[in-house]
Amino acid sequence: MLLSDLDLKPYTDTAYHNEELKSLTRYRFDKVRERSKHKQSVSRLVCILFPELEKLVPTLHMNSVYALLEVFPGAKQIAQANLTRLKFLLADASNGRYGRDAAVDIQDAARASVGSAMPAKSLELRHTIRLIRELNAEIADIEASIQSAMEELHSPITTIPGMGLRMGAMILAEAGDFSRFDSPDKVLAYAGLSPSTYQSGQLNNCYAHMGKRGSRYLRYAIFNATKYVCIWDPTFAAYLAKKRTEGKHYNVAISHAGKKLVRLVCAMEKSRLPYQPITAA
C-alpha cells in the first residue's frame, strides 16, 4: 500500500497537535453542555423554592447568588436567617458589590415569598450548585490546556476581532489541516454549511437551507464565532447589516457571514498572515 499510494503524507507535529486540540475542545464542549443542564436545574429549583429571587438579581448564575443558596437554599431559610450573617455572606461573595441593602431586600422578599418549603428540593439545589462549581474548575483546567495547544500551533486565527480562543481552537481542531481542502467551499461542505441538494432521476435541485451533514462541532464553532466577529469587526458588521436589510432572518444572515468568515480563515491559515482590517480610502 505504501508503494502504490504516492499521495500519502507523513503524520506531522501539526496533525498531532490538531488531534490533541480536537480532544480538548470536544471535551470542553461536553462539559459546558453538562453545566448548562445543571444551570437549568438551578433555575427550576429556585422557581419552586424562592421565585421572587430572580427579579432581585441580574442573573441567578453568579457567585453571590450561588453562595447565598448554598447556605440558605430556599425562601424559608433566608427569611429566618440572621441579617448580619446574610449581609456579610453577600458582601464577601460579591466582593463588596452587595451589602446591607441587598440583604434587606432579599430577606423581605423571602418573608413574603410564595415559594414552597421542600427540604428535598433544597438538598437538590445545594448539590446542583456544588456540581456547577466543580464543572467550572474542570472547564478552567481544560481551557488552560487548550491555550497551551494553541500556542504550539501559532495560528493567526485569533487575530480576527471577536474570534475568541475557544471558538478559534474548535474551528482549527475540527477543520484540521486547511491545505487538504481545495477550496473554502469544501470546508463549508465539511461543516454542513453548504446548500442541500436533492436528486431524483433527472431532477437535480439545490435548496437554500443548509445540509447539516458535516461536523456539528465545526458548525457550532463557526456560528458562535461569527456572531462575535460581526460585533467587533466593522467589515463583518456591515455585511451582516446588508443581509438584514435584504429581509433575511438573523440566523440566515449569520450563516452568510459565517461563510465569509470561513473564506477568510482559509486564506489566513494558508498564508499564515495575521488579520488585516479593510480600511476606507
Side-chain angles (χ1 to χ4, degrees), residues 105-161:
D105 290 342
I106 290 172
Q107 190 167 62
D108 287 345
R111 286 170 177 166
S113 176
V114 297
S116 302
M118 302 175 67
K121 296 296 182 186
S122 294
L123 183 65
E124 183 182 350
L125 179 58
R126 273 196 178 115
H127 289 179
T128 305
I129 290 172
R130 289 172 191 168
L131 287 172
I132 291 172
R133 291 191 186 280
E134 289 174 6
L135 285 168
N136 285 340
E138 290 172 5
I139 290 168
D141 285 344
I142 298 167
E143 289 175 352
S145 297
I146 289 173
Q147 185 168 359
S148 298
M150 285 290 284
E151 289 171 358
E152 294 285 341
L153 291 174
H154 303 291
S155 172
I157 192 171
T158 52
T159 62
I160 302 172

Side-chain angles (χ1 to χ4, degrees), residues 11 20 24 32 36 43 51 57 112 129 139 145 155 199 208 210 212 220 229 232 242 254:
Y11 194 71
E20 282 289 296
L24 288 168
V32 170
S36 297
S43 299
V57 292
I129 290 172
I139 290 168
S145 297
S155 172
Q199 185 174 359
M210 293 180 297
K212 293 187 179 179
Y220 165 84
V229 172
W232 291 100
K242 177 178 175 290
I254 284 290

Side-chain angles (χ1 to χ4, degrees), residues 9-280:
K9 296 180 180 179
Y11 194 71
T12 63
D13 287 341
T14 302
Y16 169 77
H17 288 305
N18 267 334
E19 287 300 317
E20 282 289 296
L21 200 58
K22 183 185 288 188
S23 296
L24 288 168
T25 53
R26 289 191 176 188
Y27 185 41
R28 180 190 175 276
F29 181 85
D30 292 337
K31 287 291 181 181
V32 170
R33 287 187 65 183
E34 185 181 350
R35 183 178 63 181
S36 297
K37 290 179 181 178
H38 288 312
K39 286 184 175 182
Q40 290 173 4
S41 295
V42 167
S43 299
R44 172 180 58 83
L45 291 166
V46 170
C47 189
I48 295 170
L49 298 167
F50 187 11
E52 296 82 3
L53 179 61
E54 194 168 7
K55 294 182 180 179
L56 299 174
V57 292
T59 174
L60 293 175
H61 309 291
M62 48 196 294
N63 286 333
S64 53
V65 175
Y66 281 179
L68 172 70
L69 294 175
E70 268 192 299
V71 180
F72 306 108
K76 181 181 178 181
Q77 293 89 330
I78 294 173
Q80 296 174 349
N82 179 275
L83 181 60
T84 302
R85 186 185 179 194
L86 203 60
K87 180 190 73 172
F88 280 114
L89 189 153
L90 288 170
D92 184 59
S94 65
N95 294 321
R97 183 179 177 185
Y98 297 113
R100 180 180 174 81
D101 291 342
V104 169
D105 290 342
I106 290 172
Q107 190 167 62
D108 287 345
R111 286 170 177 166
S113 176
V114 297
S116 302
M118 302 175 67
K121 296 296 182 186
S122 294
L123 183 65
E124 183 182 350
L125 179 58
R126 273 196 178 115
H127 289 179
T128 305
I129 290 172
R130 289 172 191 168
L131 287 172
I132 291 172
R133 291 191 186 280
E134 289 174 6
L135 285 168
N136 285 340
E138 290 172 5
I139 290 168
D141 285 344
I142 298 167
E143 289 175 352
S145 297
I146 289 173
Q147 185 168 359
S148 298
M150 285 290 284
E151 289 171 358
E152 294 285 341
L153 291 174
H154 303 291
S155 172
I157 192 171
T158 52
T159 62
I160 302 172
M163 178 67 75
L165 178 73
R166 292 167 293 187
M167 291 302 105
M170 185 171 277
I171 290 172
L172 293 180
E174 295 300 324
D177 186 1
F178 280 84
S179 64
R180 66 194 177 101
F181 296 100
D182 296 334
S183 67
D185 289 339
K186 291 191 175 181
V187 180
L188 290 169
Y190 180 64
L193 290 171
S194 57
S196 61
T197 57
Y198 174 76
Q199 185 174 359
S200 177
Q202 297 189 4
L203 178 66
N204 191 355
N205 285 337
C206 179
Y207 296 106
H209 57 267
M210 293 180 297
K212 293 187 179 179
R213 290 178 294 180
S215 168
R216 67 187 180 102
Y217 298 102
L218 181 56
R219 189 163 56 248
Y220 165 84
I222 290 170
F223 255 82
N224 279 274
T226 302
K227 291 177 182 178
Y228 288 100
V229 172
C230 286
I231 293 172
W232 291 100
D233 183 74
T235 303
F236 277 87
Y239 185 76
L240 179 66
K242 177 178 175 290
K243 291 298 177 183
R244 292 287 283 149
T245 56
E246 292 174 3
K248 298 187 186 299
H249 186 274
Y250 174 77
N251 287 338
V252 176
I254 284 290
S255 70
H256 283 279
K259 294 173 184 178
K260 182 179 176 70
L261 179 62
V262 168
R263 290 191 287 270
L264 172 64
V265 170
C266 286
M268 290 175 60
E269 284 298 314
K270 289 178 181 179
S271 68
R272 306 302 294 175
L273 295 175
Y275 177 70
Q276 295 293 330
I278 299 174
T279 56

